[in-house]
Amino acid sequence: MNRVGQILTRFALIAMCALGVASAPAMAQTNATSETEILGQGRITKLGDLDFGQVIPGLSGGTITIAPDGTVSTGGTVIPAGGSTQPASFRLEMPIFPIFQFVAYSSPASSDSIVLTLTGDATKTMTLTDFQTDLVDGWRIPFFSGDIDFSVGGTLSVAATQAPGTYTGQFNVVVDLP
Amino acid sequence: MKGWVAFLQSAANAGVRWHRMMLVALCLAAPIALVPQTALAQSSTSAESEAVVVTPLSFIKVEDLDFGSIIPGTNNGWITLSPDGTVATTGGIVVLSGSSQAAEFAGYGAVNQIVTIRLDRNRYNLTRIGGTETMRLRRITIGSVPPTTLGTNIRTFRIVSPSGAFAFRVGGQLRVRANQAPGVYETQFDVTLEYQ
C-alpha cells in the first residue's frame, strides 16, 4: 500500500474506533491489558475507613466524635467501648505540573451527613455528620510537597434505643484542584 | 501470476491482520487519546464508615470467619487462621496475603461478669457452592487469654473490660486437599453466648 493509502487507512481506523466497531476479528485473539494512568490533576487514594469501633448508647444515647487527629469524644451517655477507632485517611497525589496547584477540600463538609445502616436491617440507621478534616486549603507546589496525606473525622448520633449490631455507610471524599 | 497473486493475497491478509491489531490497540487507547479530556477540577474517592453498637446483654457478629483466597499445595494440608489474624499453612498451601479475616464478635455485659460460649458443633464441613466437595473446619479457637478451643462443651469466660463491653475474635483450622476443587466454600456456625 502506498503512503497515502496507509494514512487514509489509519484515519479510517480511528474513525471506526470512535464509532464503535461491531465486527469481531476473524482470527483467534487473546486479550492483554496495558494500563496507563494519566493523573489529570490529581488522584485520591483511601488509606483507611472511618471506624468508630464499639459504641455503647447508654441510657440517653448521644453522640460520638472522631477528630481528624484520632481523638475520640462523646456527648450524652454514649461510651466508646473499644475496638479500633480511627479517622478516615487519604492520600492525595498530584502531578508536578502545574507547578502551583491550589488545593481545596470540598466534601464531605460539616453540614453534610450520611446514614449508616444496620447490617441486615436497612431500617435501623445512625446519622454521621459534622465532617472535619485536617487538610488545609491553599497553594501547593506538588514537586516539593509530594503526596499529601489527610484525615477526615465526623460525629455519629446514637439513639438511646439504638438497635445493637454493625452499622456501615459510604461517603465520597472530594478535593477541588481548580 | 498465480504465485504473485497469492503473495499479494497473503500480504493483504497480513495487512488486514495488522490493521485489526492496530484497531484493537487504537480502541484500547481511544478512551484516553480521543475522548476530549475534561480538565479534572476535582479528585474524589469513596470511603466507608463503621460503628458497632452494643447494648446491654447484646451479642453481635462483627466479622465472618474468612480464610481468604487459597491456592492448594502439593500435598493435603491445613490452614491455621489464628484469632489475631496470622495465617500458617502446611502442605505448601498459599493464602493470598490480606485476604483472610478472623471472625469477630462483640457484646456488652458488666465488668467481671461471667459469660459462657458454645458452638453448635465441634467440627464443620464447608461445602462448595454449586457442588458437593467439602473442606473440614476444626479447632475453632477464641482469642481469649490464653486462646481456647470452642465447641459443644460450654466454655466460661470473665469480662475484664471496665465498661463491660467486650469483643473477641475467632479463628480455626481448615483442611485443603492438594486437588481441592476450585470455587467458593461456605458453612454456617452458631455461636451461643449467655450472660450469667
Side-chain angles (χ1 to χ4, degrees), chain A residues 13-79:
Chain A
L13 287 171
I14 291 172
M16 284 164 73
C17 209
L19 291 171
V21 180
S23 63
M27 61 177 181
Q29 187 178 21
T30 338
N31 284 326
T33 311
S34 167
E35 266 185 39
T36 311
E37 192 164 349
I38 294 177
L39 274 188
Q41 278 171 271
R43 171 177 66 191
I44 303 179
T45 312
K46 180 189 76 174
L47 302 177
D49 290 313
L50 173 53
D51 205 335
F52 289 87
Q54 279 119 254
V55 174
I56 297 170
L59 285 174
S60 339
T63 60
I64 176 169
T65 302
I66 296 184
D69 67 358
T71 315
V72 178
S73 57
T74 58
T77 58
V78 171
I79 303 171

Side-chain angles (χ1 to χ4, degrees), chain B residues 101-131:
Chain B
Q101 164 86 53
E104 188 176 333
F105 302 88
Y108 180 27
V111 65
N112 288 326
Q113 185 172 21
I114 302 294
V115 298
T116 62
I117 301 178
R118 63 181 163 85
L119 306 179
D120 56 332
R121 300 172 66 99
N122 291 315
R123 284 177 291 277
Y124 298 84
N125 279 324
L126 277 67
T127 308
R128 187 170 74 88
I129 297 174

